[in-house]
Amino acid sequence: VQLQASGGGLVQPGGSLRLSCAVSGFTLEDYGIGWFRQAPGKRMEALGCITRSGGSTLYEDSVKGRITVSGSKNTVFLQMSGLKFEDTAVYYCAGVDVGGGRCFGKAGYWGQGTLVTVSS
């Protein structure tokens, strides 16, 4: 199982980004895929996910309205707009289980992250 997030970089406040997650060893037909981030000195935070077979998307309240998760089979995207300084973090994609309307990363189904820096 491999997941590789890409597309990070330097973004100005108010800007937008699109991150990609390339998946191998499983597909969206097997498990949902979600996005998470970890800001410096903070805990890992779930952002949202696309459920198995792409049936639906779920978003955390903290970012709802600013992000869109989409994708199919082996590639999942995170579109994020209205970026703020506090969105600076390493962004990860992971295979997920869904429960209670939320996405939970599966052990062993995490990829290396991509750094997003929001700065003027």
Side-chain angles (χ1 to χ4, degrees), residues 8 12 23 27 36 40 48 64 67 73 78 82 85 88 109 115:
Q12 290 193 335
V23 175
T27 74
F36 303 78
K64 193 176 290 184
I67 74 167
K73 201 171 180 181
L78 171 68
F85 294 118
T88 294
Y109 284 77
L115 175 64

Side-chain angles (χ1 to χ4, degrees), residues 37-45 86 88-90 92 115:
R37 68 183 179 188
Q38 188 168 28
K42 295 192 175 181
R43 302 176 77 172
M44 188 73 74
E45 174 189 16
E86 51 264 42
T88 294
V90 178
Y92 300 87
L115 175 64

Side-chain angles (χ1 to χ4, degrees), residues 1-2 9 17 25 27 31 35 37 46 49 53 57 72-73 101 115-116 120:
V1 170
Q2 287 190 325
L17 62 79
T27 74
Y31 299 111
W35 287 94
R37 68 183 179 188
C49 64
S53 300
T57 50
S72 62
K73 201 171 180 181
L115 175 64
V116 173
S120 54

Side-chain angles (χ1 to χ4, degrees), residues 62-117:
S62 60
V63 291
K64 193 176 290 184
R66 292 202 298 130
I67 74 167
T68 301
V69 178
S70 63
S72 62
K73 201 171 180 181
N74 297 100
T75 307
V76 173
F77 303 99
L78 171 68
Q79 183 82 31
M80 192 166 187
S81 61
L83 286 165
K84 309 172 185 178
F85 294 118
E86 51 264 42
D87 291 319
T88 294
V90 178
Y91 286 70
Y92 300 87
C93 57
V96 300
D97 292 315
V98 175
R102 303 187 68 190
C103 322
F104 300 91
K106 295 175 63 67
Y109 284 77
W110 289 78
Q112 294 191 349
T114 185
L115 175 64
V116 173
T117 302

Side-chain angles (χ1 to χ4, degrees), residues 6-27:
S6 61
L10 180 64
V11 186
Q12 290 193 335
S16 61
L17 62 79
R18 189 191 196 210
L19 303 180
S20 300
C21 177
V23 175
S24 62
F26 74 103
T27 74

